[in-house]
Amino acid sequence: MDPVPLMTSEMDSSTTKEVRSTAVDGTTAAENKNSWKISSPPSSTVESPPPTYSDVTAARAVATHQKNGNVIGEKNQENNVDMDDERKESIMTNDSMSVTDGNCKVSLIPESNHQGGIEPTDEPVEREQWGRKLEFLLSVIGFAVDLGNVWRFPYICFKNGGGAFLIPYIIMVLCGGVPMFYLELLIGQYHRSGCISIWKKICPMFKGVGYSICVMALYVSFYYNTIIAWSVYYLYSSLSTSLPWADCNHEWADERCYNPLDNITHLNSTAKRDTQLPAQQFFERHVLELHKSTGLNDLGVPRWQIVICLFLVFIMLYFTLWKGVRSSGKVVWVTATFPYMVLLVLLIRGCTLPGASKGIKFYLTPDWAQITKTTVWFDAATQVFFSLGPGFGTLIALSSYNRFDNNCHRDAILTSVVNCLTSFIAGFVVFSVLGYMAVAQDKDVKDVATQGPGLLFVVYGQAMTQFGGSTVFSIIFFSMLITLGLDSSFGGLEAVITAFCDEFPNKVGKRRELFVFLFLSASFLGALVTTTQGGMYVLTLLEIYATGPAIMTVVLIEAVALSWIYGMKRLCGDVKEMLSFSPGIFWVSTWAYISPLFLLVMITMSVAFPPPLEYGDHKFVDWATSLGWCITMSSMSITPIYMLYAYCTAHGSFKQRWHQISQPQEVERRTVLNAECLQMGEFPE
């Protein structure tokens, strides 16, 4: 970015140069009643209003001169050595004391920053940045590429027409996924705030959206980290001469256990009806002990082995997140790259298995009749939405640590392409193995394919028992699952941590290690319910209702608020200020029209046709659906409640209150410099 010139003039040796502020809409402080107060003594005449400059200029100004122990003027500061301590502290901390220097009088605090229920916050602490650009990219890719890319996309693809499914999938990527992904990177990088405090700079009445995101992130951490804990337990179980789920000769196996590859059943049972693979019984009867629970009304006790694994997962999470992005940025070099090496190894091994071509053919063969079904388009939209991850606050948090002039347009396209290609390649890895399993069991591919964790821990687990060097492949595979899960968990938890550190910089931001410990402790305690013998039923309930319509509503509000309340003209100006070019017609039309319509249809369909609440053949209790909607509403209701609170605490008529709660009320300290007080100069890069 080119350096920004500043208009200045010579000053008396007793004067100092001060940083002033302007409103977000670009008006000068003298023109805006709610902005910063600037006045001149009677002897001074200001013929023209001072120029206004961007956030990046102000940020560079403050950062540069704070390092030198000054507030903008180095020459004049040398002549003000005798300045009293109170005045020095006032200038350096942006105190409300007015400072008169020759021809300029400046007050660095606005008249009022408490409107529309928006309480004043602490002074912000210095914001860290990514150590390297690649650390940001790896973190975003690691968050977007998660366990769902391995199990959800391949299953949805073959269920909805194979290769034909790629058409609605690509359309949904272009119409909703990538535009909202790019939009969140933009606002996070421009406003440099987490998902709570960023709304004070966009539309204060929607600040409750940030709190809704934090509640949803907490719910997700209750079950997502438990899946990682299962992977840790499988990794531990793989450290043996043979995989324990390779046969039925174990105490956890019952008479239904059947190994089709050797045609030997436990307890001499030869009936093939109602049989289960050894891997399925190991997962359900040993790891979960699901047979000891009858449902949500009888969860049983926590599995101590899974609790220990879950504790190890949270230990890894804490020591990755406690120091911020500079520590997590180093970890992602391993957690984000290792899965791709494993996928490559498994792809090569899978394609060499007998029957692999049968599975791949089943995966890609198009069924064009499926495209006419609305459920196919809904599944495509859902997969795109939950895969790329807008609405979880993570993209806003991660991009807020970028340089102001970082090319997030290129980042959005690159990471979206990587994410979609990863899902597509994972389909080859999974279905090459499913083809092998179908041939080995003399079944159709559709009869051995399943969705959810079962695809990873049952089908793939069983297939690896027949690999040469099965324990090695098992160790590699479950290590990949752990790194995939940790990457996404880093991002989801960082969104909450960044949000509260930015909203309460002194109370929380300066005590980040303690807050991370308390937050992860609460998440660990909540996750214990999913480690019980009936924990799979709780996990299924949370997976469907913890996000679902709630997270889509969050993104819909983002699109509408930014396009129609914050204003497309202002948004495009922000983009040009950062990237030196304005967004094209494609981005503008998708943000303002296409994506909101796309999201509204998704929300309507998810409410009208909710996914079935089931796990295998288990029937959930009647009140389970009501409990699920209570979980959904517990996060969604925060947004309207906060809007009501903001309106009631605002002042004046309806029109005045609406203005207070809909217009940005916390502005960055932008540079408003009086031409009479400054001389020509440039800020360095």
Side-chain angles (χ1 to χ4, degrees), residues 528-541:
L528 289 178
V529 69
T530 58
T531 66
T532 59
Q533 294 161 336
M536 175 59 80
Y537 304 131
V538 180
L539 187 150
T540 303
L541 182 73

Side-chain angles (χ1 to χ4, degrees), residues 51 115 167 317 496 649 663:
Q115 303 178 32
I167 294 177
L317 290 173
V496 180
T649 53
Q663 297 301 311

Side-chain angles (χ1 to χ4, degrees), residues 43-277:
S43 60
S44 172
T45 301
V46 180
E47 297 181 355
S48 60
T52 303
Y53 298 87
S54 65
D55 274 336
V56 61
T57 305
R60 289 174 177 171
V62 174
T64 300
H65 296 293
Q66 279 182 343
K67 288 181 181 179
N68 295 328
N70 302 310
V71 181
I72 308 292
E74 291 181 355
K75 292 182 180 180
N76 295 324
Q77 186 69 18
E78 294 175 359
N79 296 323
N80 291 331
V81 177
D82 296 330
M83 182 188 296
D84 59 88
D85 292 340
E86 179 182 356
R87 184 167 174 225
K88 284 183 180 179
E89 182 178 357
S90 174
I91 297 176
M92 292 301 297
T93 61
N94 290 337
D95 200 274
S96 58
M97 185 183 75
S98 298
V99 181
T100 303
D101 292 307
N103 296 325
C104 299
K105 184 178 180 181
V106 181
S107 178
L108 297 172
I109 291 298
E111 294 182 64
S112 175
N113 193 33
H114 187 198
Q115 303 178 32
I118 307 301
E119 298 180 359
T121 55
D122 302 332
E123 285 296 317
V125 296
E126 183 180 357
R127 192 171 194 83
E128 59 182 336
Q129 290 187 349
W130 295 102
R132 296 183 182 180
K133 168 64 178 291
L134 192 56
E135 292 177 1
F136 165 70
L137 289 176
L138 290 176
S139 296
V140 174
I141 292 173
F143 166 71
V145 179
D146 65 351
L147 296 173
N149 292 77
V150 179
W151 82 53
R152 186 177 290 114
F153 177 83
Y155 177 81
I156 291 178
C157 187
F158 101 84
K159 186 184 76 170
N160 292 295
F165 175 76
L166 297 178
I167 294 177
Y169 177 76
I170 293 174
I171 292 175
M172 292 301 174
V173 166
L174 296 176
C175 292
V178 177
M180 298 311 301
F181 188 93
Y182 179 33
L183 183 62
E184 289 205 351
L185 292 184
L186 281 173
I187 62 175
Q189 181 171 304
Y190 184 83
H191 295 291
R192 299 179 63 79
S193 300
C195 61
I196 296 177
S197 56
I198 196 172
W199 286 102
K200 292 182 289 186
K201 306 172 185 180
I202 297 174
C203 185
M205 64 180 173
F206 289 127
K207 187 178 174 183
V209 170
Y211 289 106
S212 296
I213 291 174
C214 293
V215 172
M216 285 185 283
L218 186 63
Y219 288 156
V220 171
S221 71
F222 289 166
Y223 71 86
Y224 195 83
N225 292 311
T226 300
I227 299 177
I228 305 175
W230 295 344
S231 301
V232 173
Y233 185 76
Y234 266 80
L235 178 63
Y236 166 76
S237 301
S238 301
L239 302 175
S240 60
T241 55
S242 62
L243 298 178
W245 57 87
D247 55 62
C248 297
N249 299 319
H250 300 279
E251 60 180 10
W252 41 260
D254 64 10
E255 65 278 1
R256 296 173 300 166
C257 186
Y258 171 72
N259 190 345
L261 299 180
D262 58 17
N263 203 31
I264 298 175
T265 58
H266 187 59
L267 300 179
N268 298 320
S269 174
T270 57
K272 292 188 178 180
R273 284 186 309 174
D274 194 29
T275 58
Q276 294 179 338
L277 294 171

Side-chain angles (χ1 to χ4, degrees), residues 371-552:
I371 297 183
T372 60
K373 297 181 180 180
T374 57
T375 54
V376 174
W377 292 83
F378 177 68
D379 284 345
T382 303
Q383 172 60 26
V384 168
F385 186 85
F386 287 102
S387 178
L388 291 175
F392 287 91
T394 303
L395 301 176
I396 295 175
L398 296 180
S399 62
S400 70
Y401 298 106
N402 276 335
R403 284 169 48 96
F404 185 82
D405 58 351
N406 173 66
N407 191 344
C408 54
H409 175 265
R410 179 184 56 203
D411 296 342
I413 295 176
L414 175 62
T415 52
S416 299
V417 170
V418 170
N419 177 73
C420 295
L421 286 179
T422 303
S423 298
F424 186 64
I425 294 173
F428 286 91
V429 175
V430 170
F431 275 89
S432 62
V433 174
L434 289 178
Y436 165 69
M437 290 295 296
V439 170
Q441 300 182 42
D442 194 21
K443 294 182 178 181
D444 291 333
V445 176
K446 64 180 181 180
D447 295 327
V448 297
T450 183
Q451 64 175 326
L455 183 62
L456 301 178
F457 298 103
V458 177
V459 177
Y460 219 97
Q462 184 67 36
M464 282 187 296
T465 62
Q466 305 306 312
F467 288 2
S470 57
T471 56
V472 175
F473 279 101
S474 181
I475 291 172
I476 293 174
F477 178 74
F478 290 109
S479 297
M480 178 192 73
L481 296 187
I482 292 171
T483 55
L484 279 174
L486 286 175
D487 258 345
S488 295
S489 193
F490 293 158
L493 296 173
E494 181 61 51
V496 180
I497 296 168
T498 297
F500 278 90
C501 287
D502 287 345
E503 181 67 9
F504 310 102
N506 280 343
K507 297 177 181 178
V508 177
K510 293 182 178 179
R511 301 174 179 85
R512 180 185 172 100
E513 293 88 345
L514 176 60
F515 176 75
V516 172
F517 174 78
L518 295 176
F519 175 61
L520 292 185
S521 298
S523 178
F524 174 78
L525 294 176
L528 289 178
V529 69
T530 58
T531 66
T532 59
Q533 294 161 336
M536 175 59 80
Y537 304 131
V538 180
L539 187 150
T540 303
L541 182 73
L542 289 173
E543 187 179 19
I544 294 175
Y545 289 102
T547 52
I551 202 71
M552 288 185 280

